[in-house]
Amino acid sequence: MRRAVALVVPLLACAPAAAQEAPDIAEPMVFDLVRPLGARRGELEVNTLAQRDLSGPSPVVEWAPEVELAVADGFALELELPFENRRLTDLKLGVQGTFGLLDGGRGIHGVQYLGLWNREHRRWESSLLYVIGYRFGARVSTLSMVGIGDVGAAEAAERALLVNHTSFYAAGDDTTVGIEINVRAGRERSTLIMPQLHQALSPRLEVQAGLGARRETGDAWRPRAGIRLVRSL
């Protein structure tokens, strides 16, 4: 836990960087942000992601309600409760800071820390990622994250390289399509490819849905579906 505090505290220095107008870049459906980079103080969001493999011996529904709050310009906190069916598996904390804009405001970057208390193994795991988003024009944008994850408090050997990249295309004022690729490389390796659709239902309500495939160490590719409901308050 002390390591987590040591990682989180420096993020406070990122907050003033959000004073300028941030580019409009969507968030990945599966590996979403703790509010968008450059979020303004007071922004509040609740959302829930649900996912399930569509094949396999005993597929379970993985779902996680969460609340996200920008406590200062460019600095946001997140609390998340991951479940498998009806079983609460973890307690999760997210902290995110924005460094500033790039290339005349077309890009933006920051850092994200994720801390997770695993109830079964009773240990704290940490992930730290660099985040960069870029808008190429009126319709095309990308968001990438790369860092170190799955580092247990007593088992640093379990660390893994985490890479998540999503390319977006704004098909209309209220519709965005994208493809998200997530790779975890380490002792346990997994790859997820998730094409997705983001549809705004109102100015403060959005639904995101995806159908893709996932592969884990020693297993075959399995189709996977996901849906996220997002409500801004």
Side-chain angles (χ1 to χ4, degrees):
M1 186 64 178
R2 291 179 181 176
R3 294 181 184 179
V5 173
L7 289 170
V8 170
V9 170
L11 299 183
L12 289 167
C14 302
Q20 304 175 65
E21 189 68 27
D24 184 16
I25 299 172
E27 297 182 57
M29 185 190 79
V30 178
F31 204 144
D32 75 328
L33 300 179
V34 185
R35 299 299 301 145
L37 290 175
R40 298 305 180 97
R41 178 181 178 182
E43 290 184 14
L44 177 63
E45 177 187 296
V46 293
N47 70 77
T48 300
L49 170 68
Q51 297 185 89
R52 179 179 176 176
D53 287 340
L54 302 181
S55 68
S58 57
V60 300
V61 176
E62 302 169 17
W63 61 286
E66 59 187 78
V67 57
E68 304 170 356
L69 174 65
V71 297
D73 287 351
F75 184 74
L77 302 176
E78 168 188 284
L79 293 175
E80 181 177 336
L81 299 176
F83 285 82
E84 291 183 355
N85 293 333
R86 297 182 180 181
R87 182 172 66 93
L88 176 64
T89 60
D90 305 281
L91 304 174
K92 187 174 179 181
L93 167 70
V95 183
Q96 184 176 285
T98 302
F99 292 144
L101 302 180
L102 302 167
D103 193 18
R106 298 178 68 180
I108 189 168
H109 65 147
V111 63
Q112 182 185 94
Y113 168 80
L114 299 174
L116 184 145
W117 173 255
N118 185 276
R119 299 182 70 217
E120 179 180 356
H121 300 291
R122 300 193 63 79
R123 71 175 188 181
W124 185 264
E125 298 176 353
S126 295
S127 300
L128 187 67
L129 302 106
Y130 173 70
V131 186
I132 182 168
Y134 196 86
R135 173 158 288 283
F136 292 89
R139 296 189 179 275
V140 178
S141 62
T142 62
L143 192 128
S144 302
M145 293 178 268
V146 60
I148 301 297
D150 302 336
V151 181
E155 298 183 44
E158 293 190 7
R159 65 172 54 95
L161 173 66
L162 301 180
V163 179
N164 195 91
H165 175 82
T166 311
S167 296
F168 298 103
Y169 178 80
D173 292 341
D174 299 323
T175 305
T176 299
V177 295
I179 181 166
E180 181 176 357
I181 301 173
N182 181 271
V183 176
R184 186 183 73 230
R187 188 163 66 181
E188 297 292 330
R189 183 181 177 89
S190 68
T191 303
L192 171 71
I193 301 174
M194 181 65 75
Q196 55 201 250
L197 170 70
H198 300 194
Q199 180 64 50
L201 304 179
S202 75
R204 293 184 175 272
L205 183 64
E206 179 178 275
V207 62
Q208 304 169 358
L211 180 62
R214 181 176 70 165
R215 183 180 185 182
E216 297 193 337
T217 301
D219 200 359
W221 283 98
R222 299 190 183 279
R224 186 168 178 85
I227 187 168
R228 185 188 291 274
L229 188 63
V230 182
R231 179 73 164 90
S232 299
L233 302 174

